[in-house]
Amino acid sequence: MSLATGFGSADDSPGLLLWQVTNHWQAAQRAALKPYGLTHVQFVLLASLTWLQAESAPAPVTQRRLAEHAATDPMMTSQVLRTLEARGLVTRLPHPHDARARAVTTTPEGAALADRATTVVEACDADFFSPLSAEVALFTQALRTLRPT
């Protein structure tokens, strides 16, 4: 029995290729972040929060805004933030103007860790994507096209 596919080869399937490349990239990121005691999602949320705080200061960043920026599930975002809070890397306080929202901020330790980890993550990305050389900008643009709005 053959598979009902429109592709002559598995290597012609963009979905399968994306799956394989994503798994390889995630493994590289896990290895890069291991010395910092961060999972990749913890890093993304910590770095995104640090970025958003600088961008929107003095307005507080809500958990919802952070989840939207990182394209993460709001419930998972809340769970990860609780873990980061327990480690003293973020604070989660009642929002000053919205009783339903939580205002999240990085602690000085969290911001410093995000900064150190960003350097390692960007170096990992540079190494991982180096085979694309000059085409990396085109690849990045293609990813922006596929990113949900």
Side-chain angles (χ1 to χ4, degrees):
M1 180 172 158
S2 67
L3 189 62
T5 178
F7 299 109
S9 164
D11 276 351
D12 295 333
S13 169
L16 178 59
L17 289 169
L18 181 61
W19 171 260
Q20 292 169 337
V21 170
T22 299
N23 283 329
H24 184 59
W25 174 79
Q26 287 177 339
Q29 290 294 340
R30 275 193 303 275
L33 288 166
K34 187 174 184 176
Y36 298 89
L38 292 171
T39 65
H40 195 243
V41 70
Q42 288 171 343
F43 164 74
V44 167
L45 291 175
L46 188 61
S48 292
L49 178 57
T50 304
W51 177 277
L52 288 172
Q53 278 178 210
E55 186 178 72
S56 68
V61 178
T62 64
Q63 286 186 187
R64 176 168 293 290
R65 180 160 178 237
L66 177 59
E68 288 169 358
H69 175 81
T72 53
D73 175 76
M75 289 302 295
M76 185 266 300
T77 298
S78 179
Q79 292 171 345
V80 172
L81 287 173
R82 279 195 293 272
T83 299
L84 294 173
E85 183 179 37
R87 288 184 55 191
L89 302 174
V90 302
T91 58
R92 297 172 38 223
L93 301 171
H95 191 279
H97 309 296
D98 184 348
R100 299 167 295 157
R102 302 287 279 181
V104 290
T105 58
T106 55
T107 63
E109 295 81 12
L113 180 59
D115 192 51
R116 289 192 312 273
T118 295
T119 301
V120 170
V121 164
E122 288 181 359
C124 181
D125 278 350
D127 182 56
F128 186 86
F129 294 110
S130 66
L132 295 177
S133 60
E135 296 172 346
V136 75
L138 184 60
F139 180 70
T140 302
Q141 182 56 45
L143 291 173
R144 277 191 210 102
T145 301
L146 295 174
R147 179 177 56 190
T149 55

